[in-house]
Amino acid sequence: MKKIISLLMIFAATLCCFAACSDNEPCADYSAGVFRLSKTAYSATDGMKVTSPWVAYEKSGLLVSGKKENIAGNTINTTEAELLFTFAVPTSDVAENYCLYYPYAESATYADGKMTLDMTTQSGELTQYCASVYNGTSTSLIASAPSVTLSPLFAVIRVNIPASSTTSSHKLAKVSFAGNGGEQTGGIATIDMNTGNVSCTAETTEVSFPTPLDISSSSANVYLAVAPGSYEQGYTVTVTDENGYSNSTAYNSSIELAKGTITPVSGKFGYTELAFVGSTNVYIINADTSVDDNLDVLWHWDSAQSDIPSGYKNMFIHCDDAKSVDDGTKILVTSSATTGGCALIDRATQKCLFYARANNAHSATLLPGDRIIVACSNGSEDRHNSLCLFDMDKPDELKYKAELTSAHGVQWIASRQRLYAIGEDNLMEYSLVDWNTDSPSLKVERTIKTPKNGLHDLTVLSDDELLCAGNNAYSIHLDDLTFTEIPQFHGETSVKSVNYNKDSGVIWATIAEESWWTFHIKEMHIGSSEPVKTLSVPFSKFGTNVYKCRVYQW
């Protein structure tokens, strides 16, 4: 009963909107037309279905073919996927061709089977622009209200913009999308409701924020509806801050953007900050402005010239990993010499904050309680084939050791409170035991067999996923232990490092060319079989045989 009363109130309010007539225009008679409307779910490229829910008192629109009427319909019941909307329909047009659409837009039009929408004022929120044509007679009876499923009109780009750093904070002012081939993607869109074809008037689609968004503490997802179709030369996303500073990311592979699909990409402020490591060196470069062997070097550390105690310097002649830690203020370096080591370097001053012997070390990570654990690979010394634990304030004082043959990678996932390490074809999962005491240890929670032996690298993709590489490369979903091959590395047997951004599909990697080292760093994109960029690191110029690369900032 309450629903019927509410609907009658809406009917009355809707009809009242048309009660007044101007002196120059005759009054039209209107009757209530009731439709049951539902929205087709959008499909994200990660396989998820997304339907933005109806919200209370929002409006859908009804357009009458060849008429100026653009009629807003209202609903108050928001508990069902298919909802009743009522429209004030001109009685002279009850048997006309109607175009029902969502969301309501005052400037929308419909004539000769074609609908137009102004796409220049998008909000950045996920909006399911959708419409369908109804050929028939409207009714004011709820029981016989026709059901109409509104179909998607556009493709959607979801731009994930990481939180800006606390040292260089930005506010988000604008995000734009453009096809690299000059495709018309936005502006005024015309949709042929018979064929589904979409044409637009502008080569750029953008979302502007009247009040710039503060993203200093959390990332932002910005959604842009764009014209569906084939973008043969790819597309470019540009992010602009409140000061007008812009950064563009080009995705150069051909892509099909289909109606009703959500394609995730990554925007950014700044540049791609990439580290590579080998011999006695750690280099950090701006990868965006680096071309071939003309590398834009931002930072360089040489263990031979460092303040590491003289008795330990010979442990850092084959540096093999350099992880950015503590919000980028420090760099955790390992070296795989027979008497290898681990060192924590302050980025600003290049001073050594911690050092330890770690035989044939290949990776390290920080653990709670100001502790460092190091993956030490093959050899016959006491710290080979193990995970070696140290307190940060007690250099080279071994706190605990866990046996792990051919240990090559180690990562901590704080949200799971678990440590992960690789050796041979094993992925080990550990919990921390007695961590707040002077006798900490690790407990093996799971031993997970991976598809291939000879693992060399372990990186974190998300709270639920790791990536292991060596012979080929695989993502590992930790909840159900499913493995997904990264196709760019199929058949490769000497993959040394893989950095993969799931939001953008961008990969930076090193693959050994001579013995264990390489002179090239490759940028790849998911969906493209060939590298989109290759940086050269000749020994004669940089004095290093490159082992791994690490992306510090995407």
Side-chain angles (χ1 to χ4, degrees):
M1 185 65 180
K2 289 183 179 179
K3 177 190 278 189
I4 295 174
I5 292 174
S6 297
L7 285 167
L8 290 174
M9 292 173 64
I10 296 173
F11 293 174
T14 304
L15 293 175
C16 284
C17 293
F18 296 90
C21 303
S22 70
D23 293 337
N24 299 322
E25 293 183 6
C27 286
D29 293 326
Y30 294 89
S31 63
V34 185
F35 293 88
R36 298 180 186 273
L37 302 183
S38 59
K39 293 182 287 188
T40 302
Y42 278 31
S43 299
T45 54
D46 57 9
M48 296 180 63
K49 297 287 186 180
V50 179
T51 303
S52 57
W54 299 113
V55 298
Y57 303 108
E58 70 176 344
K59 297 179 179 180
S60 287
L62 181 147
L63 298 165
V64 182
S65 179
K67 308 293 183 181
K68 291 184 178 180
E69 281 86 5
N70 184 1
I71 305 164
N74 297 275
T75 185
I76 61 169
N77 180 5
T78 59
T79 61
E80 301 173 13
E82 185 181 63
L83 295 184
L84 289 165
F85 281 80
T86 180
F87 302 88
V89 179
T91 54
S92 61
D93 297 321
V94 291
E96 291 284 350
N97 180 256
Y98 300 136
C99 179
L100 294 149
Y101 71 97
Y102 172 84
Y104 174 76
E106 188 173 345
S107 61
T109 65
Y110 178 59
D112 299 325
K114 295 180 179 179
M115 178 185 181
T116 64
L117 280 174
D118 186 346
M119 305 301 294
T120 61
T121 57
Q122 299 186 42
S123 68
E125 299 294 326
L126 174 59
T127 301
Q128 289 182 262
Y129 292 96
C130 48
S132 286
V133 172
Y134 174 72
N135 293 293
T137 304
S138 64
T139 177
S140 61
L141 299 177
I142 295 174
S144 60
S147 295
V148 178
T149 299
L150 306 182
S151 300
L153 300 176
F154 305 106
V156 174
I157 297 293
R158 185 185 72 215
V159 184
N160 177 263
I161 301 166
S164 62
S165 68
T166 55
T167 56
S168 180
S169 62
H170 297 263
K171 290 184 178 179
L172 179 61
K174 184 169 66 176
V175 180
S176 64
F177 168 94
N180 294 340
E183 296 88 351
Q184 292 180 310
T185 68
I188 305 300
T190 300
I191 304 100
D192 188 322
M193 298 302 295
N194 296 313
T195 65
N197 292 335
V198 177
S199 60
C200 290
T201 59
E203 293 184 0
T204 300
T205 301
E206 70 178 37
V207 169
S208 296
F209 299 95
T211 301
L213 296 181
D214 186 348
I215 57 171
S216 60
S217 59
S218 61
S219 63
N221 280 326
V222 179
Y223 295 85
L224 296 93
V226 302
S230 297
Y231 291 78
E232 298 294 339
Q233 299 177 43
Y235 56 90
T236 296
V237 171
T238 301
V239 177
T240 305
D241 71 5
E242 78 278 20
N243 298 315
Y245 177 82
S246 295
N247 186 285
S248 296
T249 305
Y251 300 87
N252 297 313
S253 299
S254 174
I255 188 170
E256 182 76 23
L257 298 180
K259 290 182 180 181
T261 60
I262 301 172
T263 301
V265 301
S266 180
K268 63 184 178 182
F269 292 121
Y271 48 82
T272 301
E273 188 175 81
L274 177 73
F276 63 87
V277 59
S279 303
T280 62
N281 301 287
V282 177
Y283 285 91
I284 301 175
I285 63 172
N286 179 340
D288 294 342
T289 55
S290 296
V291 179
D292 195 22
D293 66 347
N294 296 311
L295 305 185
D296 186 357
V297 177
L298 306 173
W299 191 87
H300 176 218
W301 178 84
D302 185 346
S303 65
Q305 305 300 321
S306 73
D307 65 341
I308 292 176
S310 58
Y312 289 81
K313 281 189 179 181
N314 66 338
M315 299 177 186
F316 292 88
I317 60 173
H318 292 302
C319 294
D320 59 10
D321 202 0
K323 292 182 180 178
S324 178
V325 296
D326 279 353
D327 295 324
T329 61
K330 302 178 183 67
I331 298 174
L332 194 54
V333 180
T334 55
S335 174
S336 55
T338 300
T339 54
C342 175
L344 184 65
I345 307 300
D346 181 84
R347 177 164 175 172
T349 65
Q350 297 204 359
K351 290 186 178 298
C352 179
L353 307 175
F354 165 86
Y355 57 90
R357 175 173 62 89
N359 300 107
N360 205 6
H362 274 70
S363 181
T365 196
L366 299 187
L367 290 177
D370 290 332
R371 286 175 171 147
I372 295 174
I373 195 161
V374 189
C376 300
S377 190
N378 298 322
S380 58
E381 301 294 330
D382 60 326
R383 295 182 186 179
H384 280 116
N385 291 304
S386 63
L387 301 177
C388 293
L389 180 68
F390 303 91
D391 282 335
M392 201 180 298
D393 60 354
K394 297 178 181 178
D396 203 29
E397 185 177 314
L398 185 63
K399 194 76 175 176
Y400 171 80
K401 184 175 74 170
E403 303 294 331
L404 179 59
T405 302
S406 192
H408 266 74
V410 62
Q411 296 283 359
W412 169 251
I413 299 182
S415 63
R416 302 178 76 94
Q417 288 294 291
R418 290 291 185 267
L419 179 71
Y420 296 88
I422 52 171
E424 297 184 320
D425 62 348
N426 296 312
L427 170 64
M428 308 297 296
E429 181 183 71
Y430 301 93
S431 59
L432 309 183
V433 178
D434 297 329
W435 210 250
N436 295 322
T437 73
D438 198 47
S439 301
S441 62
L442 301 176
K443 177 186 176 183
V444 176
E445 296 291 344
R446 289 190 292 182
T447 300
I448 302 162
K449 289 294 182 183
T450 62
K452 296 283 186 178
N453 202 342
L455 297 179
H456 275 86
D457 196 28
L458 183 69
T459 54
V460 177
L461 296 182
S462 69
D463 287 348
D464 301 319
E465 289 176 284
L466 293 167
L467 188 148
C468 61
N471 291 331
N472 299 5
Y474 298 84
S475 63
I476 306 165
H477 196 281
L478 295 170
D479 290 336
D480 58 12
L481 296 185
T482 55
F483 292 79
T484 303
E485 184 177 2
I486 308 300
Q488 277 70 13
F489 303 97
H490 181 73
E492 297 286 356
T493 59
S494 297
V495 182
K496 299 305 181 183
S497 64
V498 176
N499 305 260
Y500 174 31
N501 186 322
K502 286 194 66 180
D503 287 324
S504 66
V506 175
I507 297 169
W508 284 93
T510 56
I511 303 172
E513 297 172 287
E514 297 184 32
S515 184
W516 49 263
W517 67 85
T518 182
F519 299 112
H520 297 94
I521 303 168
K522 297 179 179 180
E523 179 188 1
M524 309 172 183
H525 289 178
I526 292 294
S528 175
S529 58
E530 297 295 328
V532 297
K533 189 172 190 176
T534 299
L535 299 178
S536 298
V537 191
F539 188 89
S540 59
K541 190 171 184 178
F542 295 96
T544 188
N545 293 323
V546 177
Y547 190 73
K548 289 179 183 175
C549 67
R550 291 285 175 236
V551 175
Y552 288 177
Q553 173 180 289
W554 287 96

